[in-house]
Amino acid sequence: MTTRGVLYVHSAPRALCPHVEWAVAGVLGARVGLDWIKQPASPGTWRAELSWQGEPGTASKLASALRGWRMLRFEVTSEPCSTAEGERYSSTPELGIFHAVTGMHGDILIPEDRLRAAVDRAARGETELEAEISKLLGKPWDDELEPFRYAGEGAPVRWLHQVV
């Protein structure tokens, strides 16, 4: 069973670009040469996109391979398939990594225990419920990445298939 997804490298310092390609190639089991373009939202950085196809769990492997570089902003998505829900990973230097499970229409699916924990924290006065739900939905990551997403409109996308 396969799924497909997209890796969005929203910003990377030039020196990090080949390392990103090597890390992605290691996960996909195929040579990767991304089409890097300047990222106008953050001068001195570069962006690239890669559409991929592979086994369920590939998105998490890609996110794990990239998460160690603090100067990197990226997102990895995977579509749901018959054996797995979809996924979305977002990472920024300031916030770290965010993970969400997504349904067949792209909606974020929040597990019941995480919602209960958010309600409990709000009931104890530790936080506001709205702020907790915002975090569960990844809003802080979306807010930070939005300028980088718009800067990438019209960027080339290359399809790559995982070697199975």
Side-chain angles (χ1 to χ4, degrees):
M1 186 55 53
T2 62
T3 187
R4 57 187 188 170
V6 181
L7 165 64
Y8 303 95
V9 179
H10 292 299
S11 70
R14 188 66 176 156
L16 195 54
C17 295
H19 299 281
V20 169
E21 291 179 3
W22 297 329
V24 172
V27 171
L28 297 178
R31 186 168 180 253
V32 174
L34 299 174
D35 294 324
W36 294 96
I37 60 172
K38 290 182 180 180
Q39 173 54 275
S42 179
T45 65
W46 297 77
R47 62 166 283 107
E49 296 179 14
L50 174 73
S51 294
W52 55 268
Q53 186 171 340
E55 296 176 358
T58 300
S60 67
K61 291 176 185 174
L62 288 168
S64 292
L66 299 176
R67 74 179 290 173
W69 290 307
R70 285 216 19 92
M71 299 185 71
L72 190 64
R73 285 180 184 85
F74 70 88
E75 291 181 275
V76 183
T77 63
S78 70
E79 295 179 0
C81 63
S82 63
T83 60
E85 299 287 358
E87 293 182 287
R88 180 180 131 205
Y89 293 86
S90 302
S91 184
T92 74
E94 293 78 20
L95 298 172
I97 200 156
F98 168 77
H99 171 253
V101 174
T102 57
M104 62 192 262
H105 298 293
D107 297 323
I108 291 178
L109 307 176
I110 302 172
E112 180 180 335
D113 62 332
R114 293 185 72 195
L115 282 172
R116 287 183 192 275
V119 169
D120 287 346
R121 281 191 297 278
R124 290 191 305 266
E126 297 172 10
T127 185
E128 296 292 323
L129 184 57
E130 185 177 343
E132 286 296 302
I133 291 173
S134 176
K135 287 180 197 171
L136 290 172
L137 293 171
K139 186 172 181 341
W141 287 264
D142 285 339
D143 290 347
E144 188 170 326
L145 291 173
E146 199 62 24
F148 295 89
R149 292 174 181 146
Y150 282 118
E153 288 182 7
V157 176
R158 178 177 298 174
W159 278 93
L160 236 134
H161 300 278
Q162 182 180 22
V163 176
V164 182

